[in-house]
């Protein structure tokens, strides 16, 4: 709705924005057969629907949760728009009608094509009636519709196709939220482009008639080394959000990490997959037949008791019998990065009435003088006081003994090394938040190389995962050859979830990557994930960018015994200057 509203009326009033979002509020609660199956009966039924929706919306808009409260005049105006009163003389009511018709034309096109028996006469009649309701401005937009790239997901050949379609068809705010990255986007771009500088060294005359990409992630058998990264606010992309992602993951046989900022609770997401069928080729181990492997990503709340309550709720056995066996602790976000594209596009709705209240934290996006970023939804509760000495012991004590802890957001070899020395840590995720937090932080694949160069023993002590910039099967192969046990996809999953694709889009996206990975392995002479190693790569074009032990400080101290990593504070190989406090005096040349 917001996509077409933005095209039809770029600067809508707040009342029109609310009415647009709520136009189909509980639309089908009144059964059609409650009224005669005649044209007058239909019109009466539609009028009752509109009146009921307006009344329910008016009640919702008086909720004390909406701050500042709306005036009665504003509430009455929204209800009048939903009822489409005075349609001929009210410009906003006509705009709302145009938007509804455009959404209908946009959404129903593919459904008409898929029907086994195509009733062309009926379709033409419906389209004529729809056309008659629209204004000339609505007609102009309808004639600009392009369905050429909205075909069945099987026609999409690369992950880039999903991104291109999203740029055209997602609402401006949703696309800004999903695609945005920090400030000048340097890290965001390097995450992807650096992979192209690492070349492959294929071997020949190897029997690759059978290739397997199955592996294990944290002890769970999976059909692919791909896992779904934690993503926020899935509902902004698709009404079923993380539920649809979970359904796709179960049918694919891959792992999913659920975000603290998901649009649904963990219980709701797991409940949604009960009737989904597991991947037929997925290896089985333990209790994996209950669901696909599901883990929890934790943003620590300023009030740690709230985080403790979440962890105890999800990491102990749930009513479904499924407890989350691992927690991915996000450690790269003491604050939220500046994402200018997301800030610039205003919220086209009132957050409290648009299901953007996070069900696990009660946080919601709040526009302020800095902008209207959905990415800053977490800023209201995010703790910036996490430390090695206090946070890890606290988390270990809070969780059941069998629940594994991974640190998500490792960006240097020093911190990877410290993680390997810290009791209670089972793994790390090399991540820079998809380039969304600190611009010019290192692309993640270089951090993998840095660990090999300075502290390769980390790979023996921890399971190492990576995300950021992965768009091709060759990228996955390179990460596996450099020691990653699995690779995470985040932004791409949201692209594939949107545009009406839902579960099928996510499945197609992962299938494309799986197919490319298998092809890459065959062409390199590799039969299984366990056979990947650095000998298949030529990294000389990027080796000069990989820091050595000189950045670890004096002598490259690796004792791991300091308080909060102070012994690995870091140093520059030749810039020895340090800022000193006090002293005064003038500079002399």
């Amino acid at each position: 709705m917001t996509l077409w509203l933005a095209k039809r009326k770029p600067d809508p009033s707040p009342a029109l924005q609310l009415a647009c979002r709520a136009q189909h509020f509980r639309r089908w609660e009144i059964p059609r057969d409650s009224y005669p199956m005649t044209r007058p009966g239909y019109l009466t039924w539609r009028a009752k629907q509109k009146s009921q929706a307006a009344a329910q919306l008016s009640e919702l808009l008086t909720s004390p949760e909406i701050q500042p409260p709306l005036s009665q005049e504003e509430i009455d105006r929204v209800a009048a728009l939903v009822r489409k009163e005075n349609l001929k003389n009210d410009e906003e009511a006509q705009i709302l009608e145009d938007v509804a018709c455009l959404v209908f034309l946009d959404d129903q096109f593919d459904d008409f094509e898929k029907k086994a028996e195509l009733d062309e006469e009926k379709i033409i009649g419906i389209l004529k009636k729809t056309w008659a309701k629209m204004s000339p401005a609505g007609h102009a937009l309808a004639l600009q519709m392009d369905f050429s790239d909205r075909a069945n997901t099987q026609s999409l050949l690369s992950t880039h196709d999903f991104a291109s379609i999203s740029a055209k068809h997602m609402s401006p705010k949703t696309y800004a939220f999903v695609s945005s990255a920090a400030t000048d986007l340097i890290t965001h771009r390097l995450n992807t482009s650096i992979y192209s500088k690492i070349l492959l060294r294929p071997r020949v005359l190897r029997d690759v008639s059978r290739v397997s990409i199955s592996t294990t992630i944290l002890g769970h058998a999976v059909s692919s080394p791909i896992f779904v990264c934690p993503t926020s606010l899935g509902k902004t992309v698709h009404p079923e959000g993380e539920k649809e992602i979970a359904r796709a993951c179960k049918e694919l046989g891959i792992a999913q990490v659920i975000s603290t900022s998901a649009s649904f609770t963990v219980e709701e997401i797991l409940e949604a997959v009960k009737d989904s069928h597991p991947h037929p080729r997925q290896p089985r181990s333990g209790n994996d037949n209950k669901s696909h492997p599901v883990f929890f990503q934790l943003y620590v709340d300023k009030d740690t008791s709230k985080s403790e309550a979440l962890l105890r709720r999800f990491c102990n056995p749930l009513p479904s019998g499924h407890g989350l066996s691992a927690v991915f602790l996000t450690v790269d976000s003491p604050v939220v990065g500046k994402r200018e594209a997301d800030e610039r596009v205003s919220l086209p709705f009132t957050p409290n009435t648009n299901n953007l209240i996070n069900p696990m934290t009660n946080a919601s996006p709040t526009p302020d003088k800095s902008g209207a970023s959905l990415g800053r939804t977490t800023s209201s509760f995010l703790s910036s006081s996490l430390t090695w000495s206090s946070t890890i012991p606290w988390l270990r004590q809070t969780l059941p003994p069998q629940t594994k802890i991974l640190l998500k957001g490792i960006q240097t070899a020093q911190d990877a090394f410290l993680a390997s020395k810290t009791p209670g840590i089972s793994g790390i995720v090399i991540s820079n938040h998809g380039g969304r937090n600190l611009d010019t932080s290192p692309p993640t694949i270089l951090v993998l190389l840095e660990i090999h160069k300075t502290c390769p023993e980390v790979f023996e002590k921890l399971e190492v995962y990576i995300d950021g910039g992965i768009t091709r099967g060759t990228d996955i192969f390179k990460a596996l050859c450099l020691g990653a046990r699995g690779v995470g996809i985040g932004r791409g999953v949201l692209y594939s979830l949107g545009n009406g694709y839902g579960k099928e889009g996510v499945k197609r996206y992962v299938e494309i990557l799986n197919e490319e990975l298998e092809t890459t392995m065959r062409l390199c002479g590799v039969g299984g994930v366990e056979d990947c190693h650095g000998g298949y790569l030529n990294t000389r074009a990027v080796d000069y960018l990989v820091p050595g032990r000189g950045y670890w400080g004096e002598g490259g101290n690796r004792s791991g015994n300091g308080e909060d990593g102070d012994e690995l504070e870091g140093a520059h190989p030749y810039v020895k200057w340090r800022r000193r406090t006090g002293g005064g005096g003038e500079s002399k040349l």
Side-chain angles (χ1 to χ4, degrees):
M1 295 289 288
T2 55
L3 170 66
W4 287 110
L5 178 60
K7 291 183 177 181
R8 178 63 178 83
K9 182 70 173 175
D11 55 344
S13 69
L16 182 55
Q17 294 173 35
L18 279 171
C20 180
R21 298 297 304 184
Q23 179 163 288
H24 300 300
F25 183 66
R26 297 181 180 175
R27 178 178 176 183
W28 304 113
E29 280 194 346
I30 303 176
R32 173 67 183 90
D33 58 11
S34 300
Y35 295 88
M37 303 302 286
T38 60
R39 180 65 179 169
Y42 169 78
L43 295 175
T44 303
W45 172 66
R46 286 295 305 273
K48 290 291 185 181
Q49 284 180 327
K50 294 174 185 176
S51 296
Q52 176 179 279
Q56 292 173 331
L57 180 60
S58 296
E59 181 181 352
L60 177 65
L61 294 180
T62 59
S63 168
E65 293 183 1
I66 297 179
Q67 295 297 328
L70 300 174
S71 68
Q72 188 59 48
E73 181 181 359
E74 291 172 313
I75 294 172
D76 291 343
R77 176 59 178 158
V78 173
L81 286 171
V82 170
R83 288 193 297 268
K84 296 179 183 171
E85 296 176 354
N86 197 22
L87 183 60
K88 292 183 179 180
N89 300 314
D90 188 329
E91 181 186 5
E92 288 193 323
Q94 182 59 61
I95 290 171
L96 191 61
E97 184 71 21
D98 285 348
V99 170
C101 292
L102 289 165
V103 169
F104 171 76
L105 294 172
D106 193 21
D107 287 348
Q108 296 299 317
F109 184 86
D110 291 338
D111 291 341
F112 289 152
E113 280 195 323
K114 293 174 185 175
K115 288 187 177 180
E117 296 182 3
L118 196 64
D119 188 340
E120 291 188 8
E121 185 176 346
K122 181 177 181 180
I123 291 172
I124 291 171
I126 292 172
L127 292 177
K128 284 182 176 179
K129 291 174 184 177
T130 302
W131 192 259
K133 296 177 183 178
M134 299 169 68
S135 69
H139 293 160
L141 285 173
L143 291 172
Q144 294 172 19
M145 286 185 178
D146 179 9
F147 296 102
S148 61
D149 59 358
R150 298 284 294 278
N152 187 287
T153 57
Q154 294 304 310
S155 68
L156 302 174
L157 301 180
S158 80
T159 62
H160 302 298
D161 292 344
F162 287 93
S164 298
I165 291 173
S166 296
K168 294 180 182 178
H169 296 293
M170 277 185 173
S171 72
K173 186 59 182 174
T174 298
Y175 183 71
F177 167 60
V178 174
S179 65
S180 62
T183 53
D184 293 319
L185 315 184
I186 293 169
T187 294
H188 170 50
R189 291 171 179 144
L190 280 175
N191 273 345
T192 298
S193 64
I194 206 77
Y195 275 99
S196 66
K197 298 182 183 300
I198 298 175
L199 303 182
L200 297 174
R201 302 183 69 245
R203 302 299 304 276
V204 298
L205 295 177
R206 305 266 183 99
D207 183 359
V208 288
S209 56
R210 293 184 180 181
V211 167
S212 173
I213 61 171
S214 63
T215 184
T216 61
I217 289 181
L218 298 174
H220 297 268
V222 289
S223 64
S224 167
I226 298 170
F227 67 91
V228 171
C229 292
T231 54
S232 301
L233 303 176
K235 252 187 185 179
T236 63
V237 177
H238 186 281
E240 289 285 279
E242 292 82 4
K243 291 181 180 180
E244 279 290 272
I245 295 174
R247 294 180 183 115
C249 287
K250 183 172 182 181
E251 293 181 20
L252 288 163
I254 64 173
Q256 176 186 12
V257 186
I258 297 175
S259 171
T260 302
S261 297
S263 294
F264 298 95
T265 65
V266 170
E267 295 96 335
E268 290 172 325
I269 294 168
L270 292 178
E271 180 69 21
V273 302
K274 284 202 312 184
D275 297 328
S276 297
H277 298 290
H279 188 277
R281 292 187 299 164
Q282 182 182 3
R284 297 292 176 197
S285 68
N287 293 322
D288 283 354
N289 60 328
K290 292 181 179 177
S291 179
H292 60 297
V294 183
F295 313 119
F296 185 62
Q297 174 269 335
L298 177 66
Y299 285 122
V300 178
D301 199 297
K302 295 173 184 175
D303 180 353
T304 54
S305 65
K306 294 181 179 179
S307 293
E308 289 171 0
L310 280 179
L311 293 170
R312 293 192 176 107
R313 176 174 153 192
F314 300 141
C315 296
N316 288 305
L318 296 167
S320 62
H322 194 294
L324 305 189
S325 60
V327 170
F328 287 55
L329 173 66
T330 292
V331 294
D332 64 349
S333 301
V335 294
V336 176
K338 183 185 180 188
R339 305 163 193 173
E340 293 174 4
D342 194 10
E343 301 284 5
R344 284 195 174 98
V345 184
S346 62
L347 292 169
F349 40 75
T350 301
N352 287 317
T353 62
N354 194 55
N355 297 318
L356 285 182
I357 299 177
N358 181 277
M360 291 189 272
T361 64
N362 291 319
S364 63
T366 304
D368 57 26
K369 64 181 181 181
S370 297
S373 172
L374 290 178
R376 284 192 286 119
T377 303
T378 58
S379 61
S380 61
F381 68 88
L382 199 62
S383 174
S384 56
S385 59
L386 308 187
T387 67
W388 290 96
S389 61
S390 63
T391 304
I392 309 305
W394 162 78
L395 184 58
R396 183 67 278 165
Q397 185 177 5
T398 302
L399 294 172
Q402 70 276 13
T403 303
K404 296 178 179 179
I405 297 173
L406 289 87
L407 303 186
K408 181 182 180 295
I410 297 297
Q411 298 168 80
T412 63
Q414 289 111 304
D415 284 336
F417 177 74
L418 286 172
S420 73
K421 294 289 187 179
T422 302
I425 302 297
S426 298
I428 58 174
V429 183
I430 299 172
S431 174
N432 51 42
H433 231 85
R436 291 163 74 85
N437 275 357
L438 178 63
D439 203 16
T440 69
S441 59
T444 50
I445 195 70
L446 290 189
V447 180
L448 262 184
L449 284 168
E450 184 185 348
I451 296 172
H452 281 287
K453 189 173 183 178
T454 59
C455 50
E457 63 270 27
V458 166
F459 294 97
E460 303 299 323
K461 297 178 180 179
L462 301 174
E463 290 197 16
V464 178
Y465 298 89
I466 188 172
D467 66 25
I470 294 163
T471 62
R472 288 290 187 185
T474 50
D475 301 338
I476 299 172
F477 180 74
K478 291 168 186 177
L480 296 174
C481 285
L482 291 176
R485 177 166 283 276
V487 299
I489 308 295
R491 194 180 267 111
V493 167
L494 293 180
Y495 286 148
S496 63
L497 178 69
N499 311 302
Y501 290 134
K503 174 187 73 174
E504 295 305 318
V506 176
K507 288 174 62 178
R508 179 58 181 157
Y509 193 96
V510 175
E511 286 167 355
I512 288 171
L513 289 174
N514 282 342
E515 291 165 4
E516 290 183 357
L517 174 59
E518 289 185 0
T519 298
T520 302
M521 290 170 63
R522 281 192 163 94
L523 292 173
C524 285
V526 178
V529 170
E530 67 280 0
D531 299 321
C532 296
H533 59 76
Y536 292 103
L537 306 181
N538 176 356
T539 63
R540 294 193 66 179
V542 299
D543 285 342
Y544 73 100
L545 294 171
V546 180
R549 292 186 187 178
Y551 281 86
W552 286 44
E554 191 66 31
N557 186 342
R558 305 198 308 168
S559 63
N561 297 320
E563 182 75 4
D564 284 332
D566 286 346
E567 83 291 351
L568 293 180
E569 181 181 355
H572 193 278
Y574 61 86
V575 179
K576 302 304 181 185
W577 177 85
R578 295 271 180 161
R579 186 174 299 280
R580 292 175 175 80
T581 57
E586 296 182 358
S587 297
K588 296 180 180 180
L589 297 179

